[in-house]
């Protein structure tokens, strides 16, 4: 922990810059205990807001003396750290004001107790005492350095711990005080999570599921810690709240892959996926596990049986979240209290959920990050991505997360080693594939054309229309030019890993447990696993498919998207993985209308969907929100907006150059942060 909490100096700097805006003094809501959750932690309420306090493994236990002795169960307290010698009303008020401005967990209900410390010998002056009285603060904890006298009990803290500032729940013992971290509980109103989770703080790196549900609205509750705990923590993702697709292992939590049958036969994870550990090491906070199409399949909303399909906040609220990282994309479009959601992309599963929710999401270059302890679909086609609303925050996360130390070995990808330069060697050409564009909704194409004009202007690029299908088919290599062969190889890769790691074990274990029965799984997997034939699809076929894929990738990087001395990827190719500006619905029949669209439609003159280009050719493919268009909803019978996004594709390894390009587009105002809720802009 050393060096993580530089709170006092940071806060002091912060306080200096904040003009003490008056904090309104409203009647404090009393502490109301609700229950202990199954993991021994306390759920409580202050007014109509619910909280979790990690009382089983508190943040700090301090030896302390209480005068006069006070026996209470638990008290919400606020920790304030200063470095001034005279602590006045202004000192306290500006700290509290900055807490209210910068955090959604803290509120003045936590002023029943105050823990104040100072880096220098200090005293609470008369104005501070009077100020505390206005909140009816009943208990003041004083560090060795601080003294105070007033109409409150005081607790002298003997060993002041490395305690971050912010709200805590204090429990007072005879000679000690324990301070538990608090989490605000938000209802997952769009039902994008399977369950909320939090750091157990047991010294063994476990997380605990929250296990709390709001019956009135059927919502799981999601715990988010105070952001104040992380102020002054210099790590790139300090305090950022991150939700995890339930394919990734997190120690202490069940990994289900969206299947109750799989959860039934597998133990709680006893380790954390390196890709998730990297987020924790960077300071990120895991707040729960999210829904996915079962085993990362491409199932349509109406094909979900085991889990209830999540809701998309955009438009009429009845739009698809796509698959398979559906929970992730829709949650980022829904909640300001959530910063990032981690998904995975094998065939479209980051990029299409980002498209239908109007958020940023990527399929990185093949091999970008370890997928150890992540349930596979296809070992050599799986990738990991992150959803975000804000281009700068998205890029910051991606650049920190995709560390070279986590690149996959060439034995996993079957490709040449991945090299990821972080330069401004931008592309010179904008490739506009006429077999994939224009956008299907003619009202959306002008938004794309304006984006292309901006791109061409800002980077001095030339637009080149070309036919992707004809170009690939024109290559002289019989393998690289044959979409049928390339697609078949991808299909072997995507089938074998999932069977080898999940399917075989699930079927045999279930049969043993339940008298030969087949497990209850969604139709996306049932027929394929029922008929799985290991003499056709096996490790040897997988290795052969990897070799086929490698041939395709090498041709692609020589003939279509290649490096030059000036550019990491000579071109950026555009296409749309979404619906071209038409709504696509969770309810099947609504997609039959000409003003709506199914997902994953193969364009009339193409051989593969745009989504399949990078799974086959290893390239990097990012979904970028660029606008929105109206439609008249047959659900709300009101005009609604549907997001318009575009996909930007560069040669494998040129991800960071593309991030730098996107950052420049944000600097120029071409790309913007999207809002949560009904509309993205
Ligand atoms: C308090 O901390 C700030 C920021 O580090 C510093 O500028 C200031 O001099 C400090 N004040 C005292 C009294 O130490
Ligand atoms: C303090 O207590 C008094 C008397 O019970 C009450 O009227 C007042 O609203 C309380 N103030 C706060 C901030 O809770
Ligand atoms: C974790 O669980 C696996 C089986 O699920 C087991 O093989 C392994 O030994 C366990 N590791 C630890 C550290 O307990
Ligand atoms: C823009 O690119 C063209 C070549 O496509 C080049 O001739 C021209 O000098 C470039 N302009 C700038 C301002 O870089
Ligand atoms: C692209 O090329 C393919 C193969 O030659 C052809 O069948 C198709 O019609 C072309 N598409 C367009 C839009 O020109
Ligand atoms: C096909 O290859 C030939 C020979 O290299 C070239 O002249 C032609 O332009 C290519 N056609 C397409 C559609 O790429
Ligand atoms: C492409 O590959 C398939 C499957 O291997 C094969 O049947 C077909 O003849 C090939 N097409 C061409 C044009 O070579
Ligand atoms: C599995 O595939 C092999 C080879 O094609 C075939 O001979 C065998 O009959 C298949 N097994 C089943 C159960 O379909
Ligand atoms: C709504 O329903 C009408 C009548 O069936 C249909 O013409 C229209 O295309 C539908 N709108 C959308 C956005 O699906
Ligand atoms: C464009 O929309 C129409 C009407 O929904 C649909 O039939 C067609 O397949 C769509 N094309 C693409 C490429 O999505």
């Amino acid at each position: 922990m050393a060096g993580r909490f530089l709170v006092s100096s940071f806060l002091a700097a912060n306080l200096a810059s904040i003009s003490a805006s008056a904090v309104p003094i409203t009647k404090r809501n009393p502490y109301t205990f609700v229950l202990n959750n199954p993991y021994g932690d306390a759920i409580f309420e202050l007014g109509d807001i619910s909280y979790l306090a990690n009382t089983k493994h508190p943040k700090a236990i301090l030896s302390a003396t209480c005068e006069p002795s006070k026996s209470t169960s638990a008290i919400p307290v606020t920790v304030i750290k200063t470095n001034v010698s005279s602590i006045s009303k202004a000192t306290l008020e500006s700290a509290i004001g900055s807490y209210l401005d910068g955090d959604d967990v803290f509120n003045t209900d936590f002023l029943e107790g105050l823990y104040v410390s100072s880096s220098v010998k200090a005293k609470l002056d008369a104005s501070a005492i009077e100020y505390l009285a206005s909140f009816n603060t009943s208990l003041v904890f004083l560090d060795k350095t601080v003294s105070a006298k007033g109409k409150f009990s005081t607790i002298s803290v003997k060993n002041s711990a490395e305690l971050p500032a912010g709200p805590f729940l204090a429990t007072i013992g005879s000679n000690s005080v324990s301070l538990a971290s608090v989490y605000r509980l938000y209802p997952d109103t769009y039902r994008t999570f399977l369950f909320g989770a939090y750091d157990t703080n047991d010294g063994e790196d476990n997380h605990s599921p929250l296990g709390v549900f709001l019956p009135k609205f059927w919502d799981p509750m999601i715990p988010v810690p105070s952001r104040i705990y992380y102020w002054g923590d210099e790590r790139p993702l300090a305090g950022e709240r991150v939700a995890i697709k339930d394919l990734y292992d997190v120690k202490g939590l069940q990994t289900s892959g969206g299947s109750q049958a799989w959860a039934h036969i597998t133990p709680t994870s006893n380790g954390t996926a390196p890709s998730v550990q990297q987020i924790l090491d960077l300071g990120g906070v895991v707040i729960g596990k999210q829904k996915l199409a079962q085993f990362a399949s491409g199932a349509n909303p109406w094909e979900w049986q085991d889990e209830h399909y999540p809701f998309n906040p955009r438009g009429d609220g009845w739009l698809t979240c796509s698959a398979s990282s559906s929970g992730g994309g829709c949650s980022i479009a829904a909640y300001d209290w959530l910063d990032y959601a981690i998904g995975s992309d094998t065939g479209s599963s980051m990029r299409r959920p980002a498209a239908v929710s109007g958020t940023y999401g990527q399929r990185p270059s093949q091999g970008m990050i370890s997928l150890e302890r992540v349930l596979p679909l296809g070992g050599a086609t799986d990738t990991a991505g992150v959803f975000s609303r804000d281009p700068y925050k998205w890029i910051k996360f991606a650049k920190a997360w995709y560390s070279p130390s986590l690149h996959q070995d060439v034995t996993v990808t079957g490709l040449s080693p991945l090299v990821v330069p972080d330069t401004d060697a931008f592309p010179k050409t904008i490739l506009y594939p006429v077999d994939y564009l224009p956008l299907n909704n003619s009202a959306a194409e002008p938004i794309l054309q304006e984006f292309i004009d901006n791109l061409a202007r800002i980077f001095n690029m030339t637009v080149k229309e070309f036919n992707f299908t004809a170009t690939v088919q024109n290559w002289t290599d019989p393998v690289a030019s044959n979409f049928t062969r390339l697609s078949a190889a991808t299909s072997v890769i995507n089938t074998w890993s999932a069977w080898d790691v999940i399917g075989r074990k699930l079927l045999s274990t279930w049969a043993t447990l339940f008298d030969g029965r087949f497990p209850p799984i969604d139709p996306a997997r049932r027929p394929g696993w029922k008929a799985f034939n290991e003499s056709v699809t096996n490790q040897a076929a997988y290795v052969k498919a990897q070799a086929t894929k490698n041939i395709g990738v090498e041709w692609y990087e020589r003939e279509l998207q290649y490096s030059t001395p000036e550019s990491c990827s000579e071109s950026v190719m555009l296409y749309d993985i979404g619906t071209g500006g038409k709504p696509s619905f969770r309810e099947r029949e609504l997609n039959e209308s000409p003003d709506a669209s199914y997902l994953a439609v193969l364009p009339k003159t193409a051989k593969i969907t745009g989504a399949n280009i990078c799974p086959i050719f290893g390239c990097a493919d990012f979904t970028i929100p660029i606008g929105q268009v109206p439609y008249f909803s047959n659900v709300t019978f009101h005009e609604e907006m549907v997001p318009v996004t575009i996909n930007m594709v560069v040669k494998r390894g040129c991800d960071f150059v593309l991030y730098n390009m996107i950052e420049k587009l944000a600097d120029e105002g071409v790309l913007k942060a999207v809002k949560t809720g009904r509309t993205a802009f």
Side-chain angles (χ1 to χ4, degrees):
M1 289 308 248
R4 285 195 186 173
F5 297 113
L6 311 166
V7 174
S8 46
S9 60
F10 173 85
L11 251 183
N14 227 24
L15 297 189
S17 65
I18 287 172
S19 56
S21 58
V23 172
I25 297 173
T26 50
K27 190 166 161 52
R28 271 196 298 102
N29 290 297
Y31 169 82
T32 311
F33 174 77
V34 178
L35 51 79
N36 279 317
N37 80 352
Y39 308 93
D41 291 316
I43 311 294
F44 65 97
E45 288 173 350
L46 297 169
D48 53 13
I49 302 178
S50 302
Y51 298 88
L52 164 78
N54 197 342
T55 47
K56 181 148 181 205
H57 297 287
K59 185 77 189 166
I61 301 177
L62 314 172
S63 65
T65 323
C66 199
E67 298 154 5
S69 75
K70 176 131 182 147
S71 71
T72 53
S73 50
I75 298 183
V77 304
T78 302
V79 173
I80 291 179
K81 299 188 145 191
T82 81
N83 64 351
V84 296
S85 56
S86 176
I87 299 168
S88 64
K89 172 183 175 182
T91 317
L92 298 179
E93 189 167 38
S94 61
I96 293 164
S98 71
Y99 290 6
L100 289 171
D101 286 348
D103 186 33
D104 54 344
V105 178
F106 174 82
N107 65 40
T108 54
D109 290 343
F110 283 94
L111 285 169
E112 181 163 354
L114 178 77
Y115 181 128
V116 59
S117 75
S118 177
S119 58
V120 296
K121 201 163 168 51
K123 195 170 176 224
L124 260 69
D125 76 8
S127 69
I129 305 288
E130 198 181 313
Y131 187 56
L132 290 177
S134 69
F135 286 102
N136 296 346
T137 299
S138 66
L139 189 60
V140 174
F141 301 77
L142 298 169
D143 251 2
K144 272 181 296 203
T145 51
V146 183
S147 59
K149 282 237 145 39
K151 275 192 280 172
F152 40 68
S153 304
T154 57
I155 290 187
S156 311
V157 175
K158 299 212 176 79
N159 59 330
S160 55
E162 273 291 311
L163 190 67
F168 288 88
L169 189 69
T171 307
I172 296 161
S174 47
N175 285 306
S176 70
V177 170
S178 70
L179 292 160
S181 302
V182 299
Y183 296 74
R184 180 170 176 169
L185 304 185
Y186 278 107
D188 173 24
T189 48
Y190 292 90
R191 246 80 43 75
T192 58
F193 284 79
L194 287 166
F195 55 86
Y198 59 98
D199 183 350
T200 311
N201 196 36
D202 59 355
E204 291 176 13
D205 298 327
N206 278 302
H207 278 70
S208 299
L210 177 66
V212 175
F213 178 75
L214 184 65
K216 183 174 165 70
F217 300 111
W218 320 341
D219 301 334
M221 301 297 278
I222 309 301
V224 303
S226 169
R227 294 194 186 275
I228 303 164
Y229 299 157
Y230 299 88
W231 289 359
D233 181 337
E234 312 264 340
R235 293 174 297 166
L237 303 182
E240 299 288 359
R241 299 158 181 176
V242 186
I244 309 285
K245 181 177 185 175
D246 195 18
L247 277 185
Y248 292 77
D249 277 358
V250 177
K251 191 179 180 202
L253 303 180
Q254 180 66 48
T255 303
S256 74
S259 162
Q260 299 186 60
W262 181 252
H264 187 86
I265 68 153
T266 50
T268 299
S269 302
N270 63 4
T272 296
S275 52
V276 176
Q277 189 58 49
Q278 167 81 345
I279 295 167
L280 297 170
D281 292 344
L282 291 167
V285 182
V286 168
I287 67 165
K289 287 288 202 83
Q290 288 187 315
K291 290 180 183 170
L292 66 156
Q294 199 173 73
F295 303 123
S297 65
N300 283 304
W302 48 90
E303 293 161 340
W304 288 41
Q305 301 298 328
D306 219 352
E307 305 154 285
H308 191 251
Y309 193 73
F311 287 88
N312 189 335
R314 304 299 190 205
D316 51 26
W318 220 245
L319 298 175
T320 181
C321 293
S322 181
S324 69
S325 310
S326 7
C330 278
S331 67
I332 285 297
Y335 305 131
D336 285 312
W337 46 262
L338 175 63
D339 299 302
Y340 297 102
I342 297 300
S344 65
D345 188 311
T346 304
S348 67
S349 292
M350 278 294 308
R351 294 164 291 158
R352 198 171 279 131
V356 298
S357 61
T359 56
Y360 293 83
Q362 75 278 64
R363 175 186 178 88
S365 291
Q366 198 69 56
M368 186 62 88
I369 192 164
S370 161
L371 290 169
E372 217 185 295
R373 278 191 171 273
V374 183
L375 288 176
L377 184 45
T381 45
D382 292 343
T383 62
V386 58
F387 296 101
S388 174
R389 290 180 293 275
D390 180 294
Y392 295 108
K393 284 188 67 171
W394 185 55
I395 293 166
K396 185 176 184 190
F397 189 109
K399 284 192 169 181
W401 188 36
Y402 293 137
S403 144
S405 62
L406 290 173
H407 286 180
Q408 286 177 311
D409 193 78
V410 294
T411 55
V412 176
T413 61
L415 306 176
S416 60
L418 183 64
V419 181
V420 188
D422 187 356
T423 69
D424 286 351
F426 296 132
K428 304 286 183 200
T429 307
I430 299 168
L431 290 179
Y432 184 99
V434 293
D435 37 349
Y436 292 92
L437 292 171
L439 299 176
N440 204 342
N441 181 345
S442 59
E445 181 65 14
I447 296 173
L448 174 58
Q449 286 303 329
E450 190 189 338
F451 176 73
I452 292 173
D453 289 349
N454 281 322
L455 204 57
R457 174 179 54 81
I458 292 165
F459 298 98
N460 188 29
M461 293 166 84
T462 321
V463 181
K464 184 177 155 196
E465 293 197 356
F466 84 122
N467 182 325
F468 178 85
T469 310
T471 304
V472 172
Q473 285 181 333
N474 197 35
W475 294 342
T476 53
D477 185 86
V479 175
S481 61
N482 187 329
F483 283 113
T484 311
R485 274 188 81 163
L486 295 170
S487 299
T490 302
S491 157
V492 169
I493 292 171
N494 294 350
T495 313
W496 175 248
S497 303
W499 170 260
D500 192 33
V501 175
I502 309 164
R504 188 195 298 117
K505 181 175 168 189
L506 177 56
L507 268 54
S508 64
T509 309
W510 203 266
T512 307
L513 288 174
F514 300 107
D515 196 20
R517 286 180 169 81
F518 193 87
I521 57 172
D522 283 0
R525 283 288 165 270
R526 192 189 301 126
W529 283 354
K530 177 75 184 76
F532 203 92
N533 187 337
E534 286 201 28
S535 53
V536 178
T537 309
N538 48 41
Q539 186 61 29
Y542 181 86
V543 170
K544 226 172 122 196
Q546 271 188 313
T548 301
K549 177 176 168 134
N550 188 42
I551 294 170
V553 170
E554 292 197 341
W555 272 78
Y556 189 88
E557 296 180 0
R558 196 166 68 222
E559 301 294 325
L560 187 51
Q561 290 202 289
Y562 43 84
S563 297
T564 67
E566 294 80 38
S567 303
C568 180
S569 176
E570 188 278 329
S571 63
V572 57
M573 181 168 67
L574 306 180
Y575 81 100
D576 171 40
I577 202 168
T579 52
K582 287 182 169 174
S584 185
F585 297 96
R586 57 188 293 125
E587 188 180 323
R588 180 177 196 154
E589 291 68 23
L590 292 172
N591 298 317
E592 294 290 343
S593 125
D595 297 317
S597 174
Y598 284 98
L599 295 177
V601 178
L602 180 66
K604 277 192 193 67
T605 70
K607 293 285 179 207
I608 57 173
T609 62
N612 273 326
I613 295 171
C614 287
I616 291 175
F617 296 110
C619 35
D621 181 351
F622 300 175
T623 300
I624 305 296
I626 55 172
Q628 59 191 5
V629 286
Y631 68 100
F632 188 83
S633 168
N634 288 326
V635 176
T636 57
F637 301 101
H638 194 282
E639 183 179 276
E640 306 288 1
M641 290 288 178
V642 62
V644 176
T645 60
I646 192 67
N647 286 77
M648 301 177 79
V649 177
V650 290
K651 182 192 166 217
R652 177 169 184 255
C654 300
D655 306 54
F656 283 28
V657 175
L658 185 51
Y659 290 127
N660 294 340
M661 214 174 158
I662 290 166
E663 189 165 74
K664 187 133 203 296
L665 289 170
D667 290 344
E668 298 276 342
V670 174
L671 296 177
K672 296 184 180 68
V674 295
K675 297 188 300 182
T676 55
R678 208 184 275 286
T679 60
F681 294 98

